[in-house]
Structure formats: C-alpha cells, structure tokens
C-alpha cells in the first residue's frame, strides 16, 4: 500500500544526511481544524497531528514542534495535543477578540494547555486587519524562536497556510512571500534541519503560489535567497512602528509564558508589561504615552471571558454533557 505523502516525508527527513532533512508537502484537503473526533473547516484528517505521532512512534522523536502560521487558528491540532508535553503547538493567527474563525475555540494568549501539556500551547492572537511582515517578524524574534530554542525539538512541522498573505480576501493581512521565507529559514536552524512543511489554507491562488515558492526556495537552497526590505525602506529616515494591538498581544504572551519558559523572563523588564490594557514601564509606573488615545475614544464592546475557567476543548466533554447537547439541553 502506498504511504501517505506526509508520512513518507517524515521517513525521508530521518533517513537523509544533515543538510537535506526537509520537505514541502502539498496535500489536500488541509487538516489543522480537524480534531480527534470530528472534521471541521474543510479539514477531514489532521495531517500534521498524524505526522507528529508517526514520527514519535516510528522514529522515536521525543519532542515535536508544530508551528502554525495559517491566519486561522489550528484548533484541531491544539485540541489533540492540549494535554501533551511532547508536542509543542505554537500558533500566530488573527483573533479579533474571539470573533474570527474558529469562533468560540480556545485560541487566546491565556490558552496554554492543561495537565502535563500546560505551557505547551502558545498562541499569539492578533486583533484587526492589516497585520504585516513587521508584526510577524517581531513575534518570531521575541517569542517563537527563543521558546523554540529552549524547547529544543527533534522535529519541526509547519502548518503553512498562506491566507495571511497580502491580497487574500479572507485573511486581510499583508504578509509578503519574503517573510514566509524568513520564518522558514529561521526554523530550519532547529532539530538538525528536520523541517517538514505542509500546505494548509489560502484563498488567493497567486498569493499561495508566490508564498509557497518562496518557502520552497529556502528549503531547497537551505538559505535566504530573498531580501526582506529594499534599500529605500531599509535606510528610510522614519522607522516603521508596530501596530499597538500586536505589541499588546506579544507582551501578554511573554508575561503569561515566562512562568514555563524562563528565556522570556527578561522580556517585560526591557519592554514593559501590560496590565488591564495599560502599558506598565520597567519601573512599575503606568505609561502616559497612549493615555490620550484611550481616554478620548468610547470603549469597544468585547466578549467577556473568564480567564480562571478552564478552556477545555470539545473532546473533553463528559458523556452526560454530550447527551444533553444531543437533546438540546443547555
């Protein structure tokens, strides 16, 4: 019987010599919304989850890192490994305070896993449209890469959706092919180069093609063949500024996860912390830099979420709760 392409790629990266241990798997349908019990969001089987478990069983991988940069959160992948410390799920995605698909799923900064898996789910949720290269690069450099190095995986799997690319009609973000290439290049320094990328979402064929090509070039050449900025932008007199929502999210992730990943301990001391949506400086005082911006506008209505309530995924429901759901009893 012919092996699944993703499973075959796992075998190959473990059999190949150093410097050739990567693969880009173009597979359909995508998989990161599929849970252990149901299909969802065009996803029938969770390809990346199957590959992770296969690598552990067949090749003895002790620690697997899954990085999901699809604009939608991979709720199925996170659910499958929510209590597992051997598979670290990281996601950078559009959130919109919970109103972006998948709605109602645990995908906020404080959704960090449970039991043995506490601290092994890391979510960087962005609110609003037009997040771009600079926001993703900052999230990578400040959070994802430091924690990934401390985790020190044996294998890296990338859920590579390209619906955060510029001109995607659903994602409405502005990522360039070059930043996808850079993120791939940075991840290839982990796990002795064992990196397998699988195609997830995307709704603009041109954006998917250009972004996938950029990733494939890096994996083939094992180096960056593209420049992130042209000289005019690189040496511009005015430096680019991070969007405030991105700053707030990145800081909050660092604040929450420094308990589990000490490499983030110095983050808040250098850049300040966020308390009740206010920036707190390293001296402990509330910054007044953005006071006028927050006081002049009417507060936006946001869904209320109790952060002390366990955010268990649907597969952890009791049998009684399942039966009550079938009968329409709330």
């Amino acid at each position: 019987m012919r092996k699944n392409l993703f499973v075959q790629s796992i075998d190959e990266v473990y059999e190949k010599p150093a410097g050739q241990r990567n693969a880009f798997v173009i597979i359909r349908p995508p998989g990161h919304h599929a849970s252990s019990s149901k299909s969802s969001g065009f996803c029938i089987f969770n390809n990346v989850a199957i590959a992770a478990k296969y690598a552990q069983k067949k090749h003895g991988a002790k620690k697997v890192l899954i990085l999901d940069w699809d604009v939608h959160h991979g709720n199925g992948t996170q659910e499958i490994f929510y209590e597992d410390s051997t598979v670290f799920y990281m996601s950078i995605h559009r959130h919109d305070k919970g109103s972006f698909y998948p709605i109602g799923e645990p995908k906020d900064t404080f959704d960090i896993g449970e039991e043995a898996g506490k601290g092994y789910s890391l979510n960087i949720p962005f609110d609003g449209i037009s997040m771009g290269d600079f926001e993703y690069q900052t999230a990578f450099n400040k959070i994802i890469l430091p924690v990934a190095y401390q985790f020190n995986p044996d294998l890296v799997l990338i859920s590579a959706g390209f619906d955060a690319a510029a001109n995607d009609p659903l994602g409405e973000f502005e990522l360039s092919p070059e930043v996808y290439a850079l993120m791939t290049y940075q991840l290839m320094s982990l796990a002795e180069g064992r990196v397998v990328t699988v195609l997830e979402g995307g709704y603009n064929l041109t954006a998917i093609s250009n972004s996938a090509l950029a990733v494939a070039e890096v994996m083939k050449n094992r180096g960056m063949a593209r420049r992130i900025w042209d000289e005019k932008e690189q040496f511009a007199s005015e430096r680019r500024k991070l969007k405030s929502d991105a700053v707030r999210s990145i800081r909050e992730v660092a604040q929450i996860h420094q308990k589990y990943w000490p490499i983030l301990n110095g983050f808040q001391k250098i850049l300040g912390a966020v308390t009740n949506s206010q920036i707190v400086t390293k001296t402990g005082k509330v910054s007044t830099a953005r006071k006028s911006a927050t006081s002049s506008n009417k507060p936006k209505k946001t869904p209320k979420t109790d952060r002390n309530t366990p955010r268990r995924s649907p597969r952890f429901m009791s049998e009684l709760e399942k039966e009550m759901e079938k009968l329409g009893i709330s």
Side-chain angles (χ1 to χ4, degrees):
M1 181 181 292
R2 184 179 179 182
K3 287 184 179 180
N4 174 282
L5 284 176
F6 210 166
V7 169
Q8 182 180 334
S9 70
I10 298 297
D11 288 337
E12 290 181 358
V13 298
Y14 273 94
E15 293 167 359
K16 289 181 179 179
Q20 300 178 30
R21 296 171 175 170
N22 64 68
F24 192 139
V25 183
I26 300 175
I27 190 170
R28 279 293 181 258
H32 71 154
H33 293 307
S35 70
S36 58
S37 60
K38 65 177 182 179
S39 59
S40 180
F42 311 123
C43 303
I44 299 174
F45 301 107
N46 196 307
N47 305 309
V48 75
I50 293 170
K53 297 304 292 184
Y54 178 80
Q56 290 181 324
K57 185 175 181 180
K58 178 70 181 294
H59 298 284
K62 294 180 179 179
K63 294 186 290 184
V64 179
L65 172 65
I66 299 175
L67 189 282
D68 191 331
W69 67 45
D70 190 289
V71 79
H72 302 97
H73 180 256
N75 56 303
T77 309
Q78 177 179 274
E79 177 188 319
I80 291 168
F81 300 112
Y82 210 52
E83 293 185 340
D84 191 339
S85 62
T86 66
V87 179
F88 197 152
Y89 176 76
M90 296 183 176
S91 176
I92 179 169
H93 53 271
R94 183 172 170 183
H95 182 56
D96 292 2
K97 296 179 172 61
S99 63
F100 196 72
Y101 185 87
I103 299 170
E105 294 287 343
K107 60 185 189 310
D108 211 332
T109 56
F110 49 87
D111 297 307
I112 61 173
E114 293 177 350
E115 305 298 338
K118 208 165 188 177
Y120 291 89
S121 288
L122 189 153
N123 292 296
I124 303 178
F126 285 154
D127 297 326
I129 62 175
S130 301
M131 295 294 174
D133 290 359
F134 198 25
E135 285 73 28
Y136 270 65
Q137 283 179 258
T138 302
F140 242 72
N141 293 333
K142 300 298 183 183
I143 303 292
I144 292 172
L145 284 178
V147 175
Y149 274 108
Q150 187 173 351
F151 179 61
N152 192 23
D154 305 312
L155 174 68
V156 176
L157 303 176
I158 304 175
S159 278
F162 295 114
D163 38 12
N167 299 317
D168 187 277
L170 291 186
E172 298 182 285
F173 277 10
E174 298 177 347
L175 296 196
S176 69
E178 286 70 30
V179 85
Y180 284 118
L182 178 60
M183 291 190 291
T184 305
Y185 177 66
Q186 290 172 316
L187 291 170
M188 287 174 63
S189 62
L190 297 163
E192 298 181 353
R194 293 190 187 95
V195 177
V196 181
T197 301
V198 61
L199 186 62
E200 295 283 4
Y203 304 91
N204 180 310
L205 293 179
T206 301
I208 294 172
S209 301
N210 292 338
S211 300
L213 176 61
V215 171
E217 285 176 351
V218 168
M219 300 187 83
K220 179 181 178 181
N221 299 325
R222 295 181 289 282
M224 278 292 292
R226 297 170 178 240
R227 299 179 64 179
I228 300 301
W229 306 298
D230 59 29
E231 291 183 2
K232 182 178 180 181
E233 183 175 0
Q234 186 176 2
F235 296 102
S237 57
E238 292 186 11
R239 304 296 294 175
R240 293 180 300 173
K241 294 182 179 179
L242 282 171
K243 291 180 172 60
S244 59
D245 285 332
V247 174
R248 188 176 297 108
S249 180
I250 292 169
R251 282 175 166 161
E252 190 168 293
V253 172
Q255 187 177 38
I256 292 170
H257 277 274
Q258 64 184 356
K259 175 181 178 182
Y260 306 98
W261 304 100
I263 199 167
L264 298 176
N265 280 339
F267 187 95
Q268 302 297 346
K269 293 179 181 179
I270 297 172
L271 297 178
V274 173
T275 305
N276 295 327
S277 299
Q278 292 179 312
I279 297 178
V280 180
T281 67
K282 60 183 179 181
T283 62
K285 296 180 179 180
V286 176
S287 173
T288 58
R290 293 179 56 243
K291 189 174 180 180
S292 60
T294 57
S295 60
S296 60
N297 299 325
K298 293 182 179 180
K300 297 180 180 179
K301 294 182 178 179
T302 57
K304 293 183 179 180
T305 305
D306 184 0
R307 297 190 176 202
N308 295 319
T309 302
R311 307 255 292 173
R312 303 184 79 87
S313 53
R315 77 187 181 98
F316 295 111
M317 292 173 63
S318 67
E319 292 302 318
L320 176 59
E321 288 173 322
K322 291 179 180 180
E323 293 302 320
M324 290 175 67
E325 187 181 50
K326 289 179 182 179
L327 296 172
I329 302 173
S330 59

